[in-house]
Coordinates of all heavy atoms in Angstrom, one line a residue:
M23 N -14.6 21.4 -2.2 CA -13.3 22.0 -2.3 C -12.7 21.9 -3.6 O -12.6 20.7 -4.2 CB -12.4 21.4 -1.2 CG -11.0 21.8 -1.3 SD -10.0 21.0 -0.1 CE -10.2 21.9 1.3
P24 N -12.4 22.8 -4.4 CA -11.7 22.7 -5.7 C -10.4 21.7 -5.6 O -9.6 21.8 -4.6 CB -11.3 23.9 -6.1 CG -12.1 25.0 -5.2 CD -12.3 24.1 -4.0
K25 N -10.1 21.0 -6.6 CA -9.0 20.0 -6.6 C -7.6 20.8 -6.4 O -6.8 20.3 -5.7 CB -9.0 19.3 -7.9 CG -8.2 18.1 -8.0 CD -8.4 17.4 -9.4 CE -7.8 16.1 -9.4 NZ -7.9 15.3 -10.8
S26 N -7.6 22.0 -7.1 CA -6.3 22.7 -6.9 C -6.0 23.2 -5.5 O -4.9 23.2 -5.1 CB -6.4 24.0 -7.9 OG -7.4 24.9 -7.5
S27 N -7.2 23.5 -4.7 CA -6.9 23.9 -3.3 C -6.3 22.7 -2.6 O -5.5 23.0 -1.6 CB -8.3 24.3 -2.8 OG -8.8 25.5 -3.4
L28 N -6.9 21.5 -2.7 CA -6.3 20.4 -2.0 C -4.8 20.1 -2.3 O -4.1 20.0 -1.5 CB -7.1 19.2 -2.5 CG -6.8 17.9 -1.7 CD1 -7.0 18.0 -0.3 CD2 -7.6 16.7 -2.3
F29 N -4.5 20.2 -3.7 CA -3.2 20.1 -4.0 C -2.3 21.2 -3.4 O -1.2 20.9 -2.8 CB -3.0 20.2 -5.5 CG -3.6 19.0 -6.3 CD1 -4.3 19.1 -7.3 CD2 -3.4 17.7 -5.7 CE1 -4.8 18.0 -8.1 CE2 -3.9 16.5 -6.4 CZ -4.8 16.8 -7.5
N30 N -2.8 22.5 -3.4 CA -1.9 23.5 -2.7 C -1.8 23.3 -1.3 O -0.7 23.6 -0.7 CB -2.6 24.9 -3.1 CG -2.5 25.2 -4.6 OD1 -1.6 24.8 -5.3 ND2 -3.4 26.1 -5.1
L31 N -2.9 22.9 -0.6 CA -2.7 22.7 0.8 C -1.8 21.5 1.1 O -1.0 21.6 2.0 CB -4.2 22.4 1.4 CG -4.2 22.0 2.9 CD1 -3.8 23.1 3.8 CD2 -5.7 21.6 3.3
F32 N -1.9 20.5 0.4 CA -0.9 19.4 0.7 C 0.5 19.9 0.4 O 1.4 19.4 1.3 CB -1.3 18.2 -0.3 CG -0.4 17.0 -0.1 CD1 -0.5 16.3 1.0 CD2 0.4 16.5 -1.2 CE1 0.3 15.1 1.2 CE2 1.2 15.4 -0.9 CZ 1.1 14.7 0.2
S33 N 0.8 20.6 -0.5 CA 2.1 21.1 -0.8 C 2.6 22.1 0.4 O 3.8 21.9 0.8 CB 2.1 22.0 -2.2 OG 1.9 21.2 -3.3
R34 N 1.7 22.9 0.9 CA 2.0 23.8 2.1 C 2.3 22.9 3.3 O 3.3 23.2 4.0 CB 1.0 24.8 2.3 CG 0.9 25.8 1.2 CD 0.1 27.0 1.7 NE -1.3 26.7 2.2 CZ -2.3 26.7 1.4 NH1 -2.3 26.9 0.1 NH2 -3.6 26.4 1.9
I35 N 1.6 21.8 3.4 CA 1.8 21.0 4.7 C 3.1 20.3 4.6 O 4.0 20.3 5.5 CB 0.7 19.9 4.8 CG1 -0.6 20.5 5.1 CG2 1.1 18.8 5.8 CD1 -1.8 19.6 5.1
L36 N 3.5 19.8 3.3 CA 4.9 19.2 3.2 C 5.9 20.2 3.3 O 6.9 19.9 4.0 CB 4.9 18.5 1.7 CG 4.1 17.4 1.5 CD1 4.1 17.0 -0.1 CD2 4.4 16.2 2.4
K37 N 5.7 21.5 2.9 CA 6.9 22.4 3.0 C 6.9 22.8 4.4 O 8.1 22.9 5.0 CB 6.4 23.6 2.1 CG 7.5 24.7 2.1 CD 7.2 25.8 1.2 CE 8.3 26.8 1.1 NZ 8.2 27.8 0.1
K38 N 5.8 23.0 5.1 CA 6.0 23.3 6.5 C 6.6 22.2 7.5 O 7.4 22.5 8.3 CB 4.6 23.7 7.2 CG 4.5 24.3 8.5 CD 3.1 24.9 8.8 CE 3.3 25.7 10.2 NZ 2.2 26.4 10.4
A39 N 6.4 21.0 7.0 CA 6.9 19.9 7.8 C 8.4 19.6 7.3 O 9.0 18.5 7.7 CB 6.0 18.6 7.5
E40 N 8.8 20.4 6.3 CA 10.2 20.3 5.8 C 10.4 18.8 5.2 O 11.4 18.2 5.2 CB 11.2 20.5 6.8 CG 11.3 21.9 7.4 CD 12.3 22.2 8.3 OE1 13.1 21.3 8.7 OE2 12.3 23.4 8.9
L41 N 9.3 18.5 4.4 CA 9.4 17.2 3.6 C 9.5 17.4 2.1 O 9.0 18.6 1.7 CB 8.0 16.4 3.9 CG 8.0 15.9 5.3 CD1 6.6 15.3 5.6 CD2 9.0 14.9 5.7
P42 N 10.0 16.6 1.3 CA 10.1 16.8 -0.1 C 8.8 16.9 -0.7 O 7.7 16.3 -0.3 CB 10.9 15.6 -0.6 CG 10.7 14.5 0.5 CD 10.5 15.2 1.7
S43 N 8.7 17.5 -1.8 CA 7.4 17.6 -2.5 C 7.1 16.3 -3.1 O 7.8 15.5 -3.6 CB 7.7 18.5 -3.9 OG 6.4 18.8 -4.5
L44 N 5.8 15.9 -3.0 CA 5.2 14.6 -3.4 C 3.9 14.8 -4.0 O 3.2 15.8 -3.7 CB 5.0 13.7 -2.2 CG 6.2 13.3 -1.4 CD1 5.7 12.5 -0.2 CD2 7.1 12.3 -2.2
P45 N 3.6 14.0 -5.0 CA 2.1 14.0 -5.5 C 1.2 13.5 -4.4 O 1.5 12.7 -3.7 CB 2.2 13.1 -6.7 CG 3.6 12.5 -6.8 CD 4.4 13.0 -5.7
I46 N 0.0 14.2 -4.4 CA -0.9 13.8 -3.4 C -1.4 12.3 -3.5 O -1.7 11.8 -2.6 CB -2.0 14.8 -3.4 CG1 -2.9 14.7 -2.0 CG2 -2.9 14.6 -4.5 CD1 -3.9 15.8 -1.8
H47 N -1.3 11.8 -4.8 CA -1.8 10.5 -5.1 C -0.8 9.4 -4.2 O -1.3 8.4 -4.0 CB -1.7 10.2 -6.6 CG -2.2 8.9 -6.9 ND1 -3.7 8.7 -6.9 CD2 -1.7 7.7 -7.2 CE1 -3.9 7.4 -7.3 NE2 -2.7 6.8 -7.5
S48 N 0.5 9.9 -4.0 CA 1.3 9.1 -3.2 C 0.7 8.7 -1.8 O 1.0 7.6 -1.3 CB 2.7 9.7 -3.0 OG 2.6 10.8 -2.3
T49 N -0.2 9.5 -1.1 CA -0.8 9.1 0.1 C -1.7 8.0 -0.1 O -1.8 7.1 0.7 CB -1.5 10.4 0.7 OG1 -2.5 10.8 -0.3 CG2 -0.7 11.5 1.0
R50 N -2.4 7.8 -1.4 CA -3.3 6.8 -1.6 C -2.4 5.5 -1.7 O -2.9 4.4 -1.3 CB -4.0 7.1 -2.8 CG -4.9 5.9 -3.4 CD -5.6 6.5 -4.7 NE -6.3 5.4 -5.4 CZ -7.5 5.1 -5.4 NH1 -8.3 5.7 -4.4 NH2 -7.9 4.2 -6.1
H51 N -1.4 5.6 -2.4 CA -0.5 4.4 -2.7 C 0.1 3.9 -1.2 O 0.1 2.7 -1.0 CB 0.7 5.0 -3.6 CG 1.6 3.9 -4.0 ND1 1.2 2.8 -5.0 CD2 2.8 3.6 -3.7 CE1 2.2 2.1 -5.1 NE2 3.1 2.4 -4.5
T52 N 0.5 4.9 -0.5 CA 1.1 4.5 0.8 C 0.1 3.8 1.7 O 0.3 2.7 2.2 CB 1.7 5.8 1.5 OG1 2.7 6.4 0.6 CG2 2.1 5.5 2.9
H53 N -1.2 4.4 1.7 CA -2.2 3.8 2.5 C -2.5 2.3 1.9 O -2.6 1.4 2.8 CB -3.5 4.6 2.3 CG -4.7 4.1 3.0 ND1 -4.8 4.1 4.2 CD2 -5.7 3.4 2.5 CE1 -6.0 3.4 4.7 NE2 -6.6 3.1 3.5
A54 N -2.5 2.1 0.7 CA -2.7 0.7 0.2 C -1.7 -0.2 0.6 O -1.9 -1.3 1.1 CB -2.9 0.7 -1.3
V55 N -0.4 0.2 0.5 CA 0.7 -0.6 0.9 C 0.7 -0.9 2.5 O 1.0 -2.0 2.9 CB 2.1 0.0 0.5 CG1 3.2 -0.8 1.0 CG2 2.2 0.1 -1.1
L56 N 0.4 0.2 3.3 CA 0.3 0.0 4.7 C -0.8 -1.1 5.0 O -0.7 -1.8 6.0 CB 0.2 1.3 5.4 CG 1.4 2.1 5.4 CD1 1.1 3.5 6.0 CD2 2.7 1.5 6.0
Q57 N -1.9 -0.9 4.4 CA -3.1 -1.8 4.5 C -2.5 -3.3 4.2 O -2.8 -4.2 5.0 CB -4.2 -1.5 3.6 CG -5.0 -0.3 4.0 CD -5.9 -0.6 5.3 OE1 -6.3 -1.8 5.5 NE2 -6.2 0.5 5.9
L58 N -1.9 -3.5 3.1 CA -1.3 -4.8 2.9 C -0.4 -5.3 3.9 O -0.5 -6.5 4.3 CB -0.6 -4.8 1.4 CG -1.3 -5.0 0.2 CD1 -0.5 -4.7 -1.0 CD2 -2.0 -6.3 0.1
E59 N 0.6 -4.4 4.4 CA 1.5 -4.9 5.4 C 0.8 -5.3 6.7 O 1.3 -6.1 7.5 CB 2.5 -3.7 5.6 CG 3.5 -3.7 4.4 CD 4.6 -2.6 4.6 OE1 4.4 -1.9 5.6 OE2 5.4 -2.6 3.8
A60 N -0.5 -4.6 6.9 CA -1.1 -4.8 8.1 C -2.0 -6.2 8.0 O -2.6 -6.6 9.1 CB -2.1 -3.6 8.5
G61 N -2.0 -6.7 6.8 CA -2.6 -8.0 6.7 C -4.0 -7.9 6.1 O -4.8 -8.9 5.9
A62 N -4.5 -6.7 5.5 CA -5.7 -6.5 4.9 C -5.8 -7.3 3.6 O -4.8 -7.6 3.0 CB -6.0 -5.0 4.6
S63 N -7.0 -7.9 3.3 CA -7.1 -8.6 2.1 C -7.0 -7.8 0.8 O -7.5 -6.6 1.0 CB -8.5 -9.5 2.2 OG -9.5 -8.6 2.0
M64 N -6.7 -8.4 -0.2 CA -6.7 -7.6 -1.5 C -8.1 -7.2 -1.8 O -8.3 -6.0 -2.3 CB -6.1 -8.5 -2.6 CG -5.6 -7.7 -3.9 SD -4.3 -6.6 -3.5 CE -2.9 -7.5 -3.1
K65 N -9.1 -8.0 -1.5 CA -10.5 -7.7 -1.8 C -10.9 -6.3 -1.0 O -11.5 -5.4 -1.5 CB -11.4 -8.8 -1.4 CG -12.9 -8.5 -1.7 CD -13.2 -8.2 -3.3 CE -14.7 -8.1 -3.5 NZ -14.8 -7.6 -4.9
Y66 N -10.5 -6.3 0.3 CA -10.8 -5.2 1.1 C -10.1 -3.8 0.5 O -10.8 -2.8 0.5 CB -10.3 -5.3 2.5 CG -10.4 -4.1 3.4 CD1 -11.7 -3.9 4.0 CD2 -9.3 -3.4 3.7 CE1 -11.7 -2.7 4.7 CE2 -9.5 -2.3 4.4 CZ -10.7 -1.8 5.0 OH -10.7 -0.8 5.7
I67 N -8.9 -4.0 0.1 CA -8.3 -2.9 -0.4 C -8.7 -2.4 -1.7 O -9.0 -1.3 -1.9 CB -6.7 -3.2 -0.5 CG1 -6.1 -3.4 0.9 CG2 -6.0 -2.1 -1.3 CD1 -4.6 -4.0 0.8
Q68 N -9.1 -3.3 -2.6 CA -9.9 -3.1 -3.8 C -11.1 -2.2 -3.5 O -11.4 -1.2 -4.2 CB -10.2 -4.4 -4.5 CG -11.1 -4.1 -5.8 CD -12.3 -4.8 -5.8 OE1 -12.5 -5.9 -5.3 NE2 -13.2 -4.3 -6.4
E69 N -12.0 -2.6 -2.6 CA -13.2 -1.9 -2.4 C -12.9 -0.5 -1.8 O -13.5 0.4 -2.0 CB -14.0 -2.8 -1.3 CG -14.7 -4.0 -2.1 CD -15.4 -4.8 -1.1 OE1 -15.4 -4.6 0.1 OE2 -15.9 -6.0 -1.7
R70 N -11.9 -0.7 -0.9 CA -11.5 0.8 -0.2 C -11.1 1.8 -1.2 O -11.3 2.9 -1.2 CB -10.5 0.5 0.9 CG -10.0 1.7 1.7 CD -9.6 1.2 3.0 NE -9.2 2.3 3.9 CZ -10.0 3.0 4.7 NH1 -11.2 2.6 4.8 NH2 -9.6 4.1 5.5
L71 N -10.2 1.3 -2.3 CA -9.7 2.2 -3.2 C -10.7 2.5 -4.4 O -10.5 3.4 -5.1 CB -8.4 1.7 -3.8 CG -7.3 1.6 -2.9 CD1 -6.1 1.0 -3.5 CD2 -6.9 2.9 -2.2
G72 N -11.7 1.7 -4.5 CA -12.7 1.8 -5.6 C -12.4 1.4 -6.9 O -12.8 1.8 -8.0
H73 N -11.4 0.5 -6.8 CA -11.0 -0.2 -8.2 C -12.1 -1.1 -8.7 O -12.9 -1.7 -7.9 CB -9.8 -1.0 -8.1 CG -8.5 -0.2 -7.7 ND1 -7.3 -0.8 -7.1 CD2 -8.2 1.1 -8.1 CE1 -6.4 0.2 -7.0 NE2 -7.0 1.2 -7.7
G74 N -12.3 -1.2 -9.9 CA -13.3 -1.9 -10.6 C -13.1 -3.4 -10.4 O -14.1 -4.2 -10.4
S75 N -11.9 -3.9 -10.2 CA -11.7 -5.4 -10.0 C -10.5 -5.5 -9.1 O -9.7 -4.6 -9.0 CB -11.5 -6.0 -11.3 OG -10.1 -5.7 -11.8
M76 N -10.5 -6.8 -8.4 CA -9.4 -7.0 -7.6 C -8.1 -7.2 -8.4 O -6.9 -6.9 -7.8 CB -9.7 -8.2 -6.8 CG -8.9 -8.4 -5.5 SD -9.4 -9.7 -4.3 CE -9.6 -11.1 -5.3
Q77 N -8.2 -7.6 -9.6 CA -7.0 -7.8 -10.5 C -6.2 -6.5 -10.5 O -5.0 -6.6 -10.5 CB -7.4 -8.3 -11.8 CG -7.7 -9.9 -11.9 CD -9.4 -10.0 -11.2 OE1 -10.1 -9.1 -11.3 NE2 -9.6 -11.1 -10.9
I78 N -6.9 -5.4 -10.9 CA -6.3 -4.0 -10.9 C -5.5 -3.8 -9.6 O -4.3 -3.4 -9.7 CB -7.3 -3.1 -11.1 CG1 -7.9 -3.2 -12.5 CG2 -6.7 -1.6 -11.1 CD1 -9.2 -2.2 -12.8
T79 N -6.1 -3.9 -8.5 CA -5.5 -3.7 -7.2 C -4.3 -4.7 -7.0 O -3.2 -4.1 -6.7 CB -6.6 -3.9 -6.0 OG1 -7.6 -3.2 -6.3 CG2 -5.8 -3.5 -4.8
A80 N -4.4 -5.9 -7.3 CA -3.3 -6.8 -7.2 C -2.2 -6.5 -8.0 O -1.0 -6.5 -7.8 CB -3.7 -8.2 -7.5
Y81 N -2.4 -6.1 -9.3 CA -1.4 -5.7 -10.2 C -0.6 -4.5 -9.9 O 0.6 -4.5 -9.9 CB -2.1 -5.4 -11.7 CG -1.1 -5.0 -12.7 CD1 -0.2 -5.9 -13.3 CD2 -1.0 -3.7 -13.1 CE1 0.7 -5.4 -14.3 CE2 0.0 -3.3 -14.0 CZ 0.8 -4.2 -14.5 OH 1.7 -3.7 -15.4
V82 N -1.3 -3.5 -9.3 CA -0.6 -2.3 -8.9 C 0.1 -2.5 -7.5 O 1.2 -1.9 -7.3 CB -1.7 -1.1 -8.9 CG1 -1.0 0.2 -8.2 CG2 -2.2 -0.8 -10.2
Y83 N -0.5 -3.2 -6.7 CA 0.2 -3.1 -5.2 C 0.7 -4.4 -4.7 O 1.5 -4.4 -3.7 CB -1.0 -2.7 -4.3 CG -1.5 -1.3 -4.5 CD1 -2.7 -1.1 -5.2 CD2 -0.7 -0.2 -4.1 CE1 -3.1 0.2 -5.5 CE2 -1.1 1.0 -4.4 CZ -2.3 1.3 -4.9 OH -2.7 2.5 -5.2
S84 N 0.5 -5.6 -5.4 CA 0.9 -6.8 -4.7 C 2.5 -7.0 -4.7 O 3.0 -7.6 -3.8 CB 0.3 -8.0 -5.3 OG 0.7 -8.2 -6.6
H85 N 3.0 -6.3 -5.6 CA 4.6 -6.5 -5.6 C 5.3 -5.4 -4.8 O 6.6 -5.6 -4.9 CB 5.1 -6.5 -7.1 CG 4.9 -5.1 -7.7 ND1 3.7 -4.6 -8.2 CD2 5.7 -4.2 -8.0 CE1 3.8 -3.4 -8.5 NE2 5.1 -3.2 -8.5
I86 N 4.8 -4.6 -4.3 CA 5.4 -3.4 -3.7 C 6.2 -3.6 -2.3 O 7.3 -3.1 -2.2 CB 4.3 -2.3 -3.3 CG1 3.5 -1.8 -4.6 CG2 4.8 -1.1 -2.5 CD1 4.4 -1.1 -5.6
S87 N 5.6 -4.4 -1.5 CA 6.1 -4.4 -0.2 C 7.2 -5.5 0.1 O 6.9 -6.6 -0.1 CB 4.9 -4.6 0.9 OG 5.4 -4.8 2.2
K88 N 8.4 -5.0 0.6 CA 9.4 -6.0 0.9 C 9.0 -6.7 2.2 O 9.4 -7.8 2.4 CB 10.8 -5.3 1.1 CG 11.3 -4.7 -0.2 CD 11.7 -5.7 -1.2 CE 12.2 -5.2 -2.4 NZ 12.4 -6.2 -3.4
K89 N 8.2 -5.9 3.1 CA 7.9 -6.6 4.3 C 6.9 -7.8 4.0 O 7.1 -8.9 4.6 CB 7.2 -5.6 5.2 CG 6.7 -6.1 6.4 CD 5.8 -5.2 7.2 CE 5.4 -5.7 8.7 NZ 4.6 -6.8 8.6
N90 N 6.0 -7.7 3.1 CA 5.2 -8.7 2.8 C 6.0 -9.9 2.2 O 5.6 -11.0 2.4 CB 4.0 -8.2 1.7 CG 2.8 -7.7 2.4 OD1 2.8 -7.6 3.7 ND2 1.9 -7.3 1.6
E91 N 6.9 -9.5 1.3 CA 7.8 -10.7 0.8 C 8.5 -11.4 1.8 O 8.5 -12.6 1.9 CB 8.7 -10.0 -0.2 CG 9.5 -10.9 -1.1 CD 10.4 -10.3 -2.0 OE1 10.2 -9.2 -2.5 OE2 11.5 -10.8 -2.2
H92 N 8.9 -10.6 2.7 CA 9.8 -11.3 3.8 C 8.9 -12.1 4.8 O 9.1 -13.3 5.2 CB 10.4 -10.2 4.6 CG 11.4 -10.7 5.8 ND1 10.8 -10.8 7.0 CD2 12.6 -11.2 5.8 CE1 11.8 -11.4 7.8 NE2 12.7 -11.6 7.1
D93 N 7.7 -11.6 5.2 CA 6.7 -12.3 5.9 C 6.2 -13.5 5.2 O 6.1 -14.6 5.9 CB 5.6 -11.4 6.3 CG 6.0 -10.3 7.2 OD1 7.1 -10.3 7.8 OD2 5.1 -9.2 7.4
T94 N 6.0 -13.5 4.0 CA 5.3 -14.6 3.2 C 6.4 -15.7 3.1 O 6.1 -16.9 3.4 CB 4.9 -14.2 1.8 OG1 3.9 -13.1 2.0 CG2 4.4 -15.3 1.1
M95 N 7.7 -15.4 2.9 CA 8.7 -16.3 2.9 C 9.0 -17.0 4.2 O 9.1 -18.2 4.3 CB 10.1 -15.7 2.3 CG 11.2 -16.7 2.1 SD 10.6 -18.1 1.1 CE 10.6 -17.3 -0.5
G96 N 8.8 -16.2 5.3 CA 9.0 -16.8 6.6 C 7.9 -17.8 6.9 O 8.1 -18.9 7.5
K97 N 6.7 -17.4 6.5 CA 5.5 -18.4 6.7 C 5.7 -19.6 5.8 O 5.4 -20.8 6.4 CB 4.1 -17.7 6.3 CG 3.7 -16.6 7.1 CD 2.5 -15.9 6.6 CE 2.1 -14.8 7.6 NZ 0.9 -14.0 7.0
F98 N 6.3 -19.6 4.6 CA 6.4 -20.6 3.7 C 7.5 -21.6 4.4 O 7.4 -22.8 4.5 CB 6.9 -20.2 2.4 CG 7.2 -21.4 1.5 CD1 6.3 -22.2 1.0 CD2 8.5 -21.7 1.2 CE1 6.5 -23.3 0.2 CE2 8.9 -22.7 0.3 CZ 7.8 -23.5 -0.2
E99 N 8.7 -21.0 4.9 CA 9.6 -21.7 5.6 C 9.1 -22.5 6.8 O 9.5 -23.7 6.9 CB 10.8 -20.8 5.9 CG 11.7 -20.3 4.8 CD 12.7 -19.2 5.1 OE1 12.6 -18.8 6.2 OE2 13.2 -18.9 4.1
E100 N 8.4 -21.9 7.6 CA 7.8 -22.5 8.7 C 6.8 -23.6 8.3 O 6.9 -24.7 9.0 CB 7.0 -21.5 9.5 CG 6.6 -22.0 10.9 CD 7.6 -22.3 11.8 OE1 8.7 -21.8 11.9 OE2 7.5 -23.2 12.7
H101 N 6.0 -23.4 7.3 CA 5.2 -24.5 6.9 C 6.0 -25.8 6.3 O 5.7 -26.8 6.6 CB 4.3 -23.9 5.6 CG 3.4 -25.0 5.0 ND1 2.4 -25.5 5.5 CD2 3.6 -25.6 3.8 CE1 1.9 -26.5 4.8 NE2 2.6 -26.4 3.7
M102 N 7.1 -25.4 5.6 CA 7.9 -26.5 5.1 C 8.6 -27.3 6.2 O 8.7 -28.5 6.2 CB 9.0 -25.9 4.1 CG 8.4 -25.5 2.7 SD 7.2 -26.7 2.0 CE 8.3 -28.1 1.6
K103 N 8.9 -26.6 7.2 CA 9.5 -27.2 8.5 C 8.5 -28.2 9.0 O 8.8 -29.4 9.4 CB 9.9 -26.4 9.6 CG 11.2 -25.5 9.3 CD 11.5 -24.5 10.4 CE 12.6 -23.6 10.0 NZ 12.7 -22.6 11.1
N104 N 7.2 -27.8 9.1 CA 6.2 -28.7 9.6 C 5.8 -29.8 8.7 O 5.6 -31.0 9.2 CB 5.0 -27.9 9.9 CG 5.0 -26.7 11.1 OD1 5.9 -27.0 12.0 ND2 4.4 -25.7 10.9
V105 N 5.9 -29.6 7.5 CA 5.7 -30.7 6.5 C 6.8 -31.7 6.6 O 6.4 -32.9 6.5 CB 5.6 -30.1 5.1 CG1 5.6 -31.1 4.0 CG2 4.4 -29.3 4.8
L106 N 8.0 -31.3 6.8 CA 9.1 -32.3 6.8 C 9.5 -33.0 8.0 O 10.2 -33.8 8.1 CB 10.4 -31.4 6.3 CG 10.3 -31.0 4.9 CD1 11.5 -30.1 4.6 CD2 10.1 -32.1 3.9
E107 N 8.6 -32.6 9.1 CA 8.8 -33.2 10.4 C 8.1 -34.4 10.6 O 7.2 -34.8 10.0 CB 8.5 -32.2 11.6 CG 9.4 -31.1 11.7 CD 9.0 -30.2 12.8 OE1 7.9 -30.2 13.4 OE2 9.9 -29.2 13.2

């Protein structure tokens, strides 16, 4: 399938669903963030996306999710409660 056909199809799907225009690459980005939020390891995501190194994946995606930030802080707080007891 030519690249332009895929882009055109994606645009038509968004229009039919009455969603704003988005670059198709945003689906890849969303997938990676959802994987992180689901608990997938950075190594798994790196391999899934085909990045040459895990550092690239971590640089691009590790700061994205507020959910991950919140969950991680909650885990840290819980750990500190246990340490201090």
